[in-house]
Amino acid sequence: MHQIIEPLPEVLAAANVSADLIDAVTESGFYMRGWVDPFSGRTWQSVSDMMYGNKQFSSSFKVEEFIAYLRGQFAFPELPAFQCYEATSIADIQAILADPRRTHYIDEGSLTFRGQPREYKFKRKIPSPVRADRDGSEISTLPGAYRQIGESYSFANAHREQRSLQWLLGKLEPNNQDVFLDQSFAYDIMRTEQHYATQTTGLDLAFEVDTALFFGTHQFKWTSDGKAYYEPIETGEHAGVIYCFRFRDPPVKETRYLIKDFDLFKTYPPLRILRQDCGLPLVGPHERNIALTDIDCIIQLTPSFSLPDSFKKKPEFMFPAASEDKFYRRLLELKEENPQLLETVVEYRWARS
């Protein structure tokens, strides 16, 4: 059944919403969406949010109620708060994950993790009616390509993905004459772009909590001569957070998403990606922050959190030097030949050791 969907700006204008407010709504990523009941054929429309895709409770609002919300005359029912924990040690984290339900998720490979040195948030001119804090902030689980710098997040700003590695496939995989044909059926370019070159629309997730813990307890920094490194955050200064996700629709499971090998890059296997026990599900432009809706719990590291000396995932392990990582070594060689094309390939201070 074909349904004509009236644009949201026209609906708002007919309801005497001001032009400035209509612009703010559009810039914030709200739009009209049509629905059809497959059994009765009944059709209706609702307001959807491009931050949260098809998640009904986060992204489907009755038109009349949304207009009243814009006017400050209606508040949507609050969604349940995230389950949050504090951890002062790895033992605390292990105890949180030892919950029988989470143990089951881990056993079936459906619990994933993301670590950050602090919690990041964004604001929009019109915040989510159900996901925003009292001050209008929303927790950010945005993939890198969708992130923005500025006071207000705007969907008027086009996101960019700089795909540099696809132009060098023959040099990154010299033993496959069909590498340019095979790229259409492989995820390797997206994976290597994300971990070695530029931010993509893939969301970095780990299937092993220690990887998330590394990124929650280390700060990315630059040396005076333009080299990068990760430095452990000192005990007493931790503000890290670990998000535990269980994606339901579509599911994200270890059996499908954990990166164990590569379709294209056989000659120079990208060791960094394997060391980080990660997966990279893609996130569409109409669901940019949708991962937030599948958070199982949030683990906040207390300032006094400390890592034992035996913690395996140190910077040199997570970002192995070119002497270990053949793919990285080849990238650095190609960067010398193509400095502009590969300007986003970061060299770590221990890179060539």
Side-chain angles (χ1 to χ4, degrees), residues 134-350:
R134 294 186 183 277
D135 68 350
S137 298
E138 298 169 60
I139 295 174
S140 174
T141 57
L142 295 165
Y146 296 134
R147 295 173 198 155
Q148 296 180 11
I149 299 174
E151 184 177 344
S152 180
Y153 192 99
S154 174
F155 279 82
N157 299 333
H159 72 277
R160 291 178 61 250
E161 285 187 85
Q162 181 178 337
R163 299 294 184 86
S164 55
L165 303 190
Q166 66 182 352
W167 307 110
L168 300 168
L169 293 184
K171 295 182 178 181
L172 290 169
E173 183 41 75
N175 293 315
N176 180 359
Q177 295 181 345
D178 298 321
V179 67
F180 285 98
L181 296 175
D182 291 345
Q183 68 171 311
S184 301
F185 307 99
Y187 291 103
D188 285 9
I189 300 174
M190 171 74 74
R191 292 165 172 172
T192 51
E193 285 280 1
Q194 175 75 10
H195 289 90
Y196 289 90
T198 58
Q199 296 286 351
T200 71
T201 58
L203 182 64
D204 252 329
L205 298 171
F207 288 94
E208 201 268 327
V209 72
D210 279 2
T211 292
L213 189 53
F214 170 84
F215 288 106
T217 57
H218 289 73
Q219 189 71 52
F220 180 81
K221 293 188 175 183
W222 294 96
T223 63
S224 58
D225 60 347
K227 292 186 172 60
Y229 65 100
Y230 275 90
E231 182 176 78
I233 297 171
E234 294 185 6
T235 300
E237 298 182 3
H238 284 285
V241 61
I242 296 175
Y243 297 113
C244 303
F245 299 96
R246 185 171 185 264
F247 295 94
R248 297 170 178 81
D249 184 22
V252 174
K253 289 193 173 183
E254 182 176 341
T255 49
R256 177 181 175 187
Y257 283 95
L258 177 63
I259 303 171
K260 296 181 178 180
D261 51 30
F262 300 92
D263 300 316
L264 293 181
F265 303 126
K266 304 291 188 182
T267 303
Y268 309 113
L271 180 60
R272 180 186 302 175
I273 298 176
L274 300 179
R275 288 268 180 95
Q276 295 183 14
D277 299 303
C278 59
L280 197 69
L282 304 185
V283 178
H286 286 69
E287 56 178 18
R288 302 184 184 194
N289 205 37
I290 198 169
L292 185 75
T293 66
D294 282 318
I295 286 178
D296 176 82
C297 69
I298 300 174
I299 302 175
Q300 296 169 328
L301 307 184
T302 64
S304 60
F305 188 91
S306 63
L307 283 174
D309 293 338
S310 60
F311 186 70
K312 179 182 178 182
K313 299 207 166 182
K314 293 179 168 56
E316 294 83 355
F317 175 84
M318 297 289 279
F319 295 84
S323 56
E324 291 185 89
D325 189 339
K326 296 180 181 179
F327 186 85
Y328 187 36
R329 181 182 66 203
R330 186 65 180 131
L331 265 186
L332 293 178
E333 293 169 353
L334 292 173
K335 184 176 181 178
E336 292 181 355
E337 301 171 13
N338 306 271
Q340 291 184 323
L341 181 62
L342 297 180
E343 63 179 351
T344 56
V345 173
V346 173
E347 181 168 349
Y348 289 86
R349 64 182 181 188
W350 57 82

